[in-house]
PDB file of all heavy atoms in Angstrom:
ATOM      1  N   SER A   1      40.850  38.361  29.815  1.00  0.00           N
ATOM      2  CA  SER A   1      39.454  38.599  29.445  1.00  0.00           C
ATOM      3  C   SER A   1      39.018  37.629  28.349  1.00  0.00           C
ATOM      4  O   SER A   1      39.831  37.141  27.565  1.00  0.00           O
ATOM      5  CB  SER A   1      39.262  40.041  28.977  1.00  0.00           C
ATOM      6  OG  SER A   1      40.051  40.297  27.837  1.00  0.00           O
ATOM      7  N   TYR A   2      37.705  37.368  28.335  1.00  0.00           N
ATOM      8  CA  TYR A   2      37.085  36.478  27.353  1.00  0.00           C
ATOM      9  C   TYR A   2      35.790  37.148  26.902  1.00  0.00           C
ATOM     10  O   TYR A   2      35.054  37.683  27.725  1.00  0.00           O
ATOM     11  CB  TYR A   2      36.725  35.126  27.984  1.00  0.00           C
ATOM     12  CG  TYR A   2      37.873  34.442  28.685  1.00  0.00           C
ATOM     13  CD1 TYR A   2      38.152  34.719  30.027  1.00  0.00           C
ATOM     14  CD2 TYR A   2      38.673  33.524  28.018  1.00  0.00           C
ATOM     15  CE1 TYR A   2      39.198  34.095  30.677  1.00  0.00           C
ATOM     16  CE2 TYR A   2      39.723  32.892  28.672  1.00  0.00           C
ATOM     17  CZ  TYR A   2      39.978  33.184  29.993  1.00  0.00           C
ATOM     18  OH  TYR A   2      41.016  32.565  30.641  1.00  0.00           O
ATOM     19  N   TYR A   3      35.516  37.093  25.609  1.00  0.00           N
ATOM     20  CA  TYR A   3      34.258  37.657  25.123  1.00  0.00           C
ATOM     21  C   TYR A   3      33.239  36.540  24.963  1.00  0.00           C
ATOM     22  O   TYR A   3      33.500  35.536  24.301  1.00  0.00           O
ATOM     23  CB  TYR A   3      34.453  38.381  23.789  1.00  0.00           C
ATOM     24  CG  TYR A   3      33.160  38.979  23.285  1.00  0.00           C
ATOM     25  CD1 TYR A   3      32.538  40.014  23.979  1.00  0.00           C
ATOM     26  CD2 TYR A   3      32.544  38.489  22.154  1.00  0.00           C
ATOM     27  CE1 TYR A   3      31.334  40.549  23.546  1.00  0.00           C
ATOM     28  CE2 TYR A   3      31.338  39.025  21.706  1.00  0.00           C
ATOM     29  CZ  TYR A   3      30.744  40.050  22.406  1.00  0.00           C
ATOM     30  OH  TYR A   3      29.551  40.568  21.976  1.00  0.00           O
ATOM     31  N   TYR A   4      32.074  36.699  25.580  1.00  0.00           N
ATOM     32  CA  TYR A   4      30.988  35.725  25.516  1.00  0.00           C
ATOM     33  C   TYR A   4      29.922  36.282  24.579  1.00  0.00           C
ATOM     34  O   TYR A   4      29.052  37.048  24.998  1.00  0.00           O
ATOM     35  CB  TYR A   4      30.442  35.474  26.916  1.00  0.00           C
ATOM     36  CG  TYR A   4      29.382  34.402  27.010  1.00  0.00           C
ATOM     37  CD1 TYR A   4      29.455  33.223  26.267  1.00  0.00           C
ATOM     38  CD2 TYR A   4      28.299  34.563  27.861  1.00  0.00           C
ATOM     39  CE1 TYR A   4      28.481  32.247  26.376  1.00  0.00           C
ATOM     40  CE2 TYR A   4      27.320  33.582  27.974  1.00  0.00           C
ATOM     41  CZ  TYR A   4      27.422  32.429  27.225  1.00  0.00           C
ATOM     42  OH  TYR A   4      26.450  31.464  27.333  1.00  0.00           O
ATOM     43  N   GLU A   5      30.014  35.894  23.327  1.00  0.00           N
ATOM     44  CA  GLU A   5      29.172  36.467  22.278  1.00  0.00           C
ATOM     45  C   GLU A   5      27.688  36.210  22.510  1.00  0.00           C
ATOM     46  O   GLU A   5      26.853  37.092  22.277  1.00  0.00           O
ATOM     47  CB  GLU A   5      29.589  35.911  20.912  1.00  0.00           C
ATOM     48  CG  GLU A   5      28.859  36.544  19.762  1.00  0.00           C
ATOM     49  CD  GLU A   5      29.372  36.091  18.414  1.00  0.00           C
ATOM     50  OE1 GLU A   5      30.214  35.178  18.337  1.00  0.00           O
ATOM     51  OE2 GLU A   5      28.905  36.658  17.416  1.00  0.00           O
ATOM     52  N   LYS A   6      27.343  35.026  22.992  1.00  0.00           N
ATOM     53  CA  LYS A   6      25.936  34.663  23.161  1.00  0.00           C
ATOM     54  C   LYS A   6      25.173  35.684  24.014  1.00  0.00           C
ATOM     55  O   LYS A   6      24.019  35.987  23.747  1.00  0.00           O
ATOM     56  CB  LYS A   6      25.846  33.269  23.793  1.00  0.00           C
ATOM     57  CG  LYS A   6      24.443  32.763  23.991  1.00  0.00           C
ATOM     58  CD  LYS A   6      24.456  31.346  24.576  1.00  0.00           C
ATOM     59  CE  LYS A   6      23.068  30.845  24.865  1.00  0.00           C
ATOM     60  NZ  LYS A   6      23.085  29.521  25.480  1.00  0.00           N
ATOM     61  N   ARG A   7      25.808  36.225  25.037  1.00  0.00           N
ATOM     62  CA  ARG A   7      25.150  37.185  25.933  1.00  0.00           C
ATOM     63  C   ARG A   7      25.760  38.586  25.853  1.00  0.00           C
ATOM     64  O   ARG A   7      25.416  39.451  26.642  1.00  0.00           O
ATOM     65  CB  ARG A   7      25.224  36.700  27.367  1.00  0.00           C
ATOM     66  CG  ARG A   7      24.604  35.343  27.558  1.00  0.00           C
ATOM     67  CD  ARG A   7      23.588  35.382  28.641  1.00  0.00           C
ATOM     68  NE  ARG A   7      23.183  34.024  28.960  1.00  0.00           N
ATOM     69  CZ  ARG A   7      21.966  33.586  28.793  1.00  0.00           C
ATOM     70  NH1 ARG A   7      21.043  34.368  28.314  1.00  0.00           N
ATOM     71  NH2 ARG A   7      21.658  32.346  29.102  1.00  0.00           N
ATOM     72  N   ASP A   8      26.688  38.785  24.907  1.00  0.00           N
ATOM     73  CA  ASP A   8      27.366  40.073  24.741  1.00  0.00           C
ATOM     74  C   ASP A   8      27.988  40.538  26.061  1.00  0.00           C
ATOM     75  O   ASP A   8      27.777  41.656  26.514  1.00  0.00           O
ATOM     76  CB  ASP A   8      26.411  41.142  24.190  1.00  0.00           C
ATOM     77  CG  ASP A   8      27.164  42.414  23.763  1.00  0.00           C
ATOM     78  OD1 ASP A   8      28.353  42.327  23.415  1.00  0.00           O
ATOM     79  OD2 ASP A   8      26.547  43.503  23.794  1.00  0.00           O
ATOM     80  N   ASN A   9      28.763  39.631  26.680  1.00  0.00           N
ATOM     81  CA  ASN A   9      29.442  39.952  27.934  1.00  0.00           C
ATOM     82  C   ASN A   9      30.947  39.926  27.743  1.00  0.00           C
ATOM     83  O   ASN A   9      31.468  39.050  27.056  1.00  0.00           O
ATOM     84  CB  ASN A   9      29.122  38.934  29.033  1.00  0.00           C
ATOM     85  CG  ASN A   9      27.679  38.954  29.462  1.00  0.00           C
ATOM     86  OD1 ASN A   9      27.026  37.931  29.473  1.00  0.00           O
ATOM     87  ND2 ASN A   9      27.173  40.111  29.820  1.00  0.00           N
ATOM     88  N   LEU A  10      31.614  40.864  28.363  1.00  0.00           N
ATOM     89  CA  LEU A  10      33.059  40.816  28.484  1.00  0.00           C
ATOM     90  C   LEU A  10      33.323  40.157  29.830  1.00  0.00           C
ATOM     91  O   LEU A  10      33.030  40.730  30.882  1.00  0.00           O
ATOM     92  CB  LEU A  10      33.672  42.217  28.437  1.00  0.00           C
ATOM     93  CG  LEU A  10      35.190  42.252  28.591  1.00  0.00           C
ATOM     94  CD1 LEU A  10      35.863  41.461  27.465  1.00  0.00           C
ATOM     95  CD2 LEU A  10      35.676  43.688  28.624  1.00  0.00           C
ATOM     96  N   MET A  11      33.816  38.926  29.792  1.00  0.00           N
ATOM     97  CA  MET A  11      34.052  38.159  31.016  1.00  0.00           C
ATOM     98  C   MET A  11      35.512  38.299  31.409  1.00  0.00           C
ATOM     99  O   MET A  11      36.406  37.977  30.626  1.00  0.00           O
ATOM    100  CB  MET A  11      33.676  36.701  30.807  1.00  0.00           C
ATOM    101  CG  MET A  11      32.218  36.542  30.416  1.00  0.00           C
ATOM    102  SD  MET A  11      31.633  34.854  30.514  1.00  0.00           S
ATOM    103  CE  MET A  11      31.328  34.744  32.271  1.00  0.00           C
ATOM    104  N   LEU A  12      35.732  38.777  32.622  1.00  0.00           N
ATOM    105  CA  LEU A  12      37.077  38.997  33.125  1.00  0.00           C
ATOM    106  C   LEU A  12      37.441  37.812  34.022  1.00  0.00           C
ATOM    107  O   LEU A  12      36.877  37.635  35.098  1.00  0.00           O
ATOM    108  CB  LEU A  12      37.135  40.329  33.868  1.00  0.00           C
ATOM    109  CG  LEU A  12      36.680  41.503  32.976  1.00  0.00           C
ATOM    110  CD1 LEU A  12      36.514  42.770  33.788  1.00  0.00           C
ATOM    111  CD2 LEU A  12      37.626  41.703  31.820  1.00  0.00           C
ATOM    112  N   GLY A  13      38.348  36.989  33.520  1.00  0.00           N
ATOM    113  CA  GLY A  13      38.690  35.735  34.185  1.00  0.00           C
ATOM    114  C   GLY A  13      39.586  35.930  35.384  1.00  0.00           C
ATOM    115  O   GLY A  13      40.589  36.642  35.320  1.00  0.00           O
ATOM    116  N   THR A  14      39.211  35.278  36.487  1.00  0.00           N
ATOM    117  CA  THR A  14      39.993  35.340  37.718  1.00  0.00           C
ATOM    118  C   THR A  14      40.189  33.940  38.268  1.00  0.00           C
ATOM    119  O   THR A  14      39.434  33.023  37.958  1.00  0.00           O
ATOM    120  CB  THR A  14      39.284  36.189  38.795  1.00  0.00           C
ATOM    121  OG1 THR A  14      38.030  35.575  39.113  1.00  0.00           O
ATOM    122  CG2 THR A  14      39.059  37.612  38.332  1.00  0.00           C
ATOM    123  N   VAL A  15      41.213  33.811  39.093  1.00  0.00           N
ATOM    124  CA  VAL A  15      41.415  32.600  39.890  1.00  0.00           C
ATOM    125  C   VAL A  15      41.269  33.030  41.337  1.00  0.00           C
ATOM    126  O   VAL A  15      41.933  33.978  41.781  1.00  0.00           O
ATOM    127  CB  VAL A  15      42.802  31.975  39.642  1.00  0.00           C
ATOM    128  CG1 VAL A  15      43.042  30.806  40.588  1.00  0.00           C
ATOM    129  CG2 VAL A  15      42.930  31.538  38.194  1.00  0.00           C
ATOM    130  N   CYS A  16      40.388  32.363  42.063  1.00  0.00           N
ATOM    131  CA  CYS A  16      40.164  32.658  43.486  1.00  0.00           C
ATOM    132  C   CYS A  16      40.643  31.475  44.311  1.00  0.00           C
ATOM    133  O   CYS A  16      40.140  30.363  44.147  1.00  0.00           O
ATOM    134  CB  CYS A  16      38.680  32.902  43.763  1.00  0.00           C
ATOM    135  SG  CYS A  16      38.054  34.416  43.020  1.00  0.00           S
ATOM    136  N   ILE A  17      41.610  31.730  45.157  1.00  0.00           N
ATOM    137  CA  ILE A  17      42.087  30.709  46.093  1.00  0.00           C
ATOM    138  C   ILE A  17      41.244  30.847  47.358  1.00  0.00           C
ATOM    139  O   ILE A  17      41.094  31.950  47.892  1.00  0.00           O
ATOM    140  CB  ILE A  17      43.584  30.883  46.411  1.00  0.00           C
ATOM    141  CG1 ILE A  17      44.409  30.937  45.120  1.00  0.00           C
ATOM    142  CG2 ILE A  17      44.065  29.772  47.349  1.00  0.00           C
ATOM    143  CD1 ILE A  17      44.259  29.744  44.198  1.00  0.00           C
ATOM    144  N   VAL A  18      40.675  29.728  47.809  1.00  0.00           N
ATOM    145  CA  VAL A  18      39.749  29.752  48.944  1.00  0.00           C
ATOM    146  C   VAL A  18      40.164  28.750  50.011  1.00  0.00           C
ATOM    147  O   VAL A  18      40.860  27.778  49.730  1.00  0.00           O
ATOM    148  CB  VAL A  18      38.299  29.426  48.493  1.00  0.00           C
ATOM    149  CG1 VAL A  18      37.790  30.463  47.494  1.00  0.00           C
ATOM    150  CG2 VAL A  18      38.192  28.024  47.927  1.00  0.00           C
ATOM    151  N   LYS A  19      39.705  28.994  51.227  1.00  0.00           N
ATOM    152  CA  LYS A  19      39.831  28.012  52.309  1.00  0.00           C
ATOM    153  C   LYS A  19      38.840  26.895  52.004  1.00  0.00           C
ATOM    154  O   LYS A  19      37.673  27.151  51.740  1.00  0.00           O
ATOM    155  CB  LYS A  19      39.480  28.650  53.650  1.00  0.00           C
ATOM    156  CG  LYS A  19      40.463  29.676  54.104  1.00  0.00           C
ATOM    157  CD  LYS A  19      41.273  29.116  55.226  1.00  0.00           C
ATOM    158  CE  LYS A  19      42.201  30.194  55.753  1.00  0.00           C
ATOM    159  NZ  LYS A  19      43.334  29.613  56.420  1.00  0.00           N
ATOM    160  N   LYS A  20      39.313  25.659  52.032  1.00  0.00           N
ATOM    161  CA  LYS A  20      38.420  24.539  51.733  1.00  0.00           C
ATOM    162  C   LYS A  20      37.517  24.248  52.921  1.00  0.00           C
ATOM    163  O   LYS A  20      37.984  24.111  54.052  1.00  0.00           O
ATOM    164  CB  LYS A  20      39.192  23.284  51.378  1.00  0.00           C
ATOM    165  CG  LYS A  20      38.211  22.168  51.040  1.00  0.00           C
ATOM    166  CD  LYS A  20      38.805  20.983  50.423  1.00  0.00           C
ATOM    167  CE  LYS A  20      37.682  19.986  50.161  1.00  0.00           C
ATOM    168  NZ  LYS A  20      38.145  18.741  49.694  1.00  0.00           N
ATOM    169  N   LYS A  21      36.239  24.186  52.644  1.00  0.00           N
ATOM    170  CA  LYS A  21      35.250  23.785  53.644  1.00  0.00           C
ATOM    171  C   LYS A  21      33.995  23.358  52.895  1.00  0.00           C
ATOM    172  O   LYS A  21      33.950  23.401  51.667  1.00  0.00           O
ATOM    173  CB  LYS A  21      34.971  24.915  54.637  1.00  0.00           C
ATOM    174  CG  LYS A  21      34.255  26.107  54.044  1.00  0.00           C
ATOM    175  CD  LYS A  21      33.873  27.101  55.126  1.00  0.00           C
ATOM    176  CE  LYS A  21      32.814  28.035  54.607  1.00  0.00           C
ATOM    177  NZ  LYS A  21      32.143  28.803  55.610  1.00  0.00           N
ATOM    178  N   PHE A  22      32.982  22.951  53.638  1.00  0.00           N
ATOM    179  CA  PHE A  22      31.713  22.603  53.011  1.00  0.00           C
ATOM    180  C   PHE A  22      31.074  23.863  52.457  1.00  0.00           C
ATOM    181  O   PHE A  22      31.235  24.956  53.002  1.00  0.00           O
ATOM    182  CB  PHE A  22      30.774  21.934  54.022  1.00  0.00           C
ATOM    183  CG  PHE A  22      31.230  20.570  54.442  1.00  0.00           C
ATOM    184  CD1 PHE A  22      31.736  20.368  55.714  1.00  0.00           C
ATOM    185  CD2 PHE A  22      31.148  19.495  53.568  1.00  0.00           C
ATOM    186  CE1 PHE A  22      32.170  19.121  56.113  1.00  0.00           C
ATOM    187  CE2 PHE A  22      31.574  18.237  53.958  1.00  0.00           C
ATOM    188  CZ  PHE A  22      32.097  18.044  55.223  1.00  0.00           C
ATOM    189  N   PHE A  23      30.338  23.700  51.382  1.00  0.00           N
ATOM    190  CA  PHE A  23      29.678  24.831  50.748  1.00  0.00           C
ATOM    191  C   PHE A  23      28.458  25.272  51.546  1.00  0.00           C
ATOM    192  O   PHE A  23      27.783  24.458  52.163  1.00  0.00           O
ATOM    193  CB  PHE A  23      29.203  24.459  49.337  1.00  0.00           C
ATOM    194  CG  PHE A  23      30.303  24.014  48.423  1.00  0.00           C
ATOM    195  CD1 PHE A  23      30.356  22.704  47.960  1.00  0.00           C
ATOM    196  CD2 PHE A  23      31.281  24.896  48.007  1.00  0.00           C
ATOM    197  CE1 PHE A  23      31.354  22.280  47.109  1.00  0.00           C
ATOM    198  CE2 PHE A  23      32.300  24.490  47.158  1.00  0.00           C
ATOM    199  CZ  PHE A  23      32.330  23.183  46.707  1.00  0.00           C
ATOM    200  N   ASP A  24      28.195  26.542  51.473  1.00  0.00           N
ATOM    201  CA  ASP A  24      26.952  27.128  51.962  1.00  0.00           C
ATOM    202  C   ASP A  24      26.384  27.861  50.741  1.00  0.00           C
ATOM    203  O   ASP A  24      26.571  29.074  50.596  1.00  0.00           O
ATOM    204  CB  ASP A  24      27.219  28.083  53.128  1.00  0.00           C
ATOM    205  CG  ASP A  24      25.946  28.716  53.663  1.00  0.00           C
ATOM    206  OD1 ASP A  24      24.839  28.221  53.342  1.00  0.00           O
ATOM    207  OD2 ASP A  24      26.057  29.724  54.387  1.00  0.00           O
ATOM    208  N   ILE A  25      25.723  27.098  49.850  1.00  0.00           N
ATOM    209  CA  ILE A  25      25.360  27.659  48.547  1.00  0.00           C
ATOM    210  C   ILE A  25      24.147  28.586  48.631  1.00  0.00           C
ATOM    211  O   ILE A  25      23.265  28.408  49.453  1.00  0.00           O
ATOM    212  CB  ILE A  25      25.135  26.564  47.474  1.00  0.00           C
ATOM    213  CG1 ILE A  25      23.937  25.697  47.769  1.00  0.00           C
ATOM    214  CG2 ILE A  25      26.389  25.726  47.293  1.00  0.00           C
ATOM    215  CD1 ILE A  25      23.562  24.753  46.634  1.00  0.00           C
ATOM    216  N   SER A  26      24.165  29.547  47.728  1.00  0.00           N
ATOM    217  CA  SER A  26      23.064  30.506  47.652  1.00  0.00           C
ATOM    218  C   SER A  26      21.880  29.886  46.918  1.00  0.00           C
ATOM    219  O   SER A  26      22.008  28.838  46.265  1.00  0.00           O
ATOM    220  CB  SER A  26      23.513  31.777  46.930  1.00  0.00           C
ATOM    221  OG  SER A  26      23.508  31.591  45.522  1.00  0.00           O
ATOM    222  N   SER A  27      20.766  30.568  46.981  1.00  0.00           N
ATOM    223  CA  SER A  27      19.561  30.086  46.286  1.00  0.00           C
ATOM    224  C   SER A  27      19.700  30.181  44.767  1.00  0.00           C
ATOM    225  O   SER A  27      18.895  29.617  44.037  1.00  0.00           O
ATOM    226  CB  SER A  27      18.333  30.867  46.754  1.00  0.00           C
ATOM    227  OG  SER A  27      18.505  32.248  46.470  1.00  0.00           O
ATOM    228  N   GLU A  28      20.728  30.876  44.279  1.00  0.00           N
ATOM    229  CA  GLU A  28      20.978  30.964  42.835  1.00  0.00           C
ATOM    230  C   GLU A  28      21.483  29.636  42.261  1.00  0.00           C
ATOM    231  O   GLU A  28      21.407  29.425  41.060  1.00  0.00           O
ATOM    232  CB  GLU A  28      22.049  32.019  42.524  1.00  0.00           C
ATOM    233  CG  GLU A  28      21.646  33.445  42.747  1.00  0.00           C
ATOM    234  CD  GLU A  28      22.777  34.398  42.368  1.00  0.00           C
ATOM    235  OE1 GLU A  28      23.424  34.177  41.326  1.00  0.00           O
ATOM    236  OE2 GLU A  28      23.011  35.350  43.117  1.00  0.00           O
ATOM    237  N   LEU A  29      22.034  28.780  43.121  1.00  0.00           N
ATOM    238  CA  LEU A  29      22.658  27.544  42.668  1.00  0.00           C
ATOM    239  C   LEU A  29      21.764  26.351  42.948  1.00  0.00           C
ATOM    240  O   LEU A  29      21.003  26.334  43.907  1.00  0.00           O
ATOM    241  CB  LEU A  29      23.994  27.321  43.383  1.00  0.00           C
ATOM    242  CG  LEU A  29      25.024  28.442  43.339  1.00  0.00           C
ATOM    243  CD1 LEU A  29      26.313  27.968  44.002  1.00  0.00           C
ATOM    244  CD2 LEU A  29      25.286  28.925  41.935  1.00  0.00           C
ATOM    245  N   ASP A  30      21.925  25.332  42.097  1.00  0.00           N
ATOM    246  CA  ASP A  30      21.261  24.062  42.353  1.00  0.00           C
ATOM    247  C   ASP A  30      22.204  23.095  43.050  1.00  0.00           C
ATOM    248  O   ASP A  30      21.760  22.260  43.820  1.00  0.00           O
ATOM    249  CB  ASP A  30      20.746  23.469  41.032  1.00  0.00           C
ATOM    250  CG  ASP A  30      19.608  24.299  40.483  1.00  0.00           C
ATOM    251  OD1 ASP A  30      18.546  24.345  41.121  1.00  0.00           O
ATOM    252  OD2 ASP A  30      19.790  24.944  39.429  1.00  0.00           O
ATOM    253  N   SER A  31      23.510  23.216  42.769  1.00  0.00           N
ATOM    254  CA  SER A  31      24.490  22.374  43.462  1.00  0.00           C
ATOM    255  C   SER A  31      25.891  22.931  43.247  1.00  0.00           C
ATOM    256  O   SER A  31      26.121  23.767  42.382  1.00  0.00           O
ATOM    257  CB  SER A  31      24.415  20.921  42.969  1.00  0.00           C
ATOM    258  OG  SER A  31      24.766  20.844  41.602  1.00  0.00           O
ATOM    259  N   ALA A  32      26.819  22.413  44.052  1.00  0.00           N
ATOM    260  CA  ALA A  32      28.237  22.755  43.929  1.00  0.00           C
ATOM    261  C   ALA A  32      29.030  21.521  44.330  1.00  0.00           C
ATOM    262  O   ALA A  32      28.585  20.741  45.174  1.00  0.00           O
ATOM    263  CB  ALA A  32      28.585  23.936  44.820  1.00  0.00           C
ATOM    264  N   ILE A  33      30.183  21.354  43.710  1.00  0.00           N
ATOM    265  CA  ILE A  33      31.034  20.200  44.023  1.00  0.00           C
ATOM    266  C   ILE A  33      32.496  20.611  44.066  1.00  0.00           C
ATOM    267  O   ILE A  33      32.901  21.567  43.420  1.00  0.00           O
ATOM    268  CB  ILE A  33      30.870  19.060  42.987  1.00  0.00           C
ATOM    269  CG1 ILE A  33      31.261  19.528  41.583  1.00  0.00           C
ATOM    270  CG2 ILE A  33      29.471  18.493  42.997  1.00  0.00           C
ATOM    271  CD1 ILE A  33      31.434  18.418  40.564  1.00  0.00           C
ATOM    272  N   TRP A  34      33.261  19.851  44.854  1.00  0.00           N
ATOM    273  CA  TRP A  34      34.724  19.907  44.777  1.00  0.00           C
ATOM    274  C   TRP A  34      35.144  18.776  43.857  1.00  0.00           C
ATOM    275  O   TRP A  34      34.624  17.661  43.967  1.00  0.00           O
ATOM    276  CB  TRP A  34      35.353  19.685  46.154  1.00  0.00           C
ATOM    277  CG  TRP A  34      35.278  20.849  47.081  1.00  0.00           C
ATOM    278  CD1 TRP A  34      34.524  20.947  48.203  1.00  0.00           C
ATOM    279  CD2 TRP A  34      35.994  22.077  46.975  1.00  0.00           C
ATOM    280  NE1 TRP A  34      34.720  22.161  48.810  1.00  0.00           N
ATOM    281  CE2 TRP A  34      35.632  22.883  48.065  1.00  0.00           C
ATOM    282  CE3 TRP A  34      36.907  22.586  46.044  1.00  0.00           C
ATOM    283  CZ2 TRP A  34      36.145  24.163  48.275  1.00  0.00           C
ATOM    284  CZ3 TRP A  34      37.422  23.861  46.254  1.00  0.00           C
ATOM    285  CH2 TRP A  34      37.047  24.630  47.347  1.00  0.00           C
ATOM    286  N   CYS A  35      36.070  19.029  42.961  1.00  0.00           N
ATOM    287  CA  CYS A  35      36.567  17.963  42.083  1.00  0.00           C
ATOM    288  C   CYS A  35      38.032  18.216  41.763  1.00  0.00           C
ATOM    289  O   CYS A  35      38.510  19.347  41.848  1.00  0.00           O
ATOM    290  CB  CYS A  35      35.741  17.877  40.804  1.00  0.00           C
ATOM    291  SG  CYS A  35      35.693  19.382  39.837  1.00  0.00           S
TER     292      CYS A  35
END
């Protein structure tokens, strides 16, 4: 866990392993990249 003071959030850190493919991004995002 990480505390994000600016927004008073308790952020619970995870690692997500995914199948690699092209993104199908939501309208919430402006862009996404693989790096």
Side-chain angles (χ1 to χ4, degrees):
S1 61
Y2 307 87
Y3 181 66
Y4 185 39
E5 185 174 7
K6 181 178 176 183
R7 302 234 190 243
D8 191 27
N9 294 127
L10 179 60
M11 301 193 80
L12 304 170
T14 62
V15 174
C16 292
I17 306 303
V18 298
K19 292 253 184 203
K20 182 168 180 186
K21 68 173 198 166
F22 291 108
F23 301 114
D24 180 15
I25 66 171
S26 80
S27 60
E28 290 182 42
L29 306 185
D30 291 294
S31 64
I33 61 167
W34 284 110
C35 58

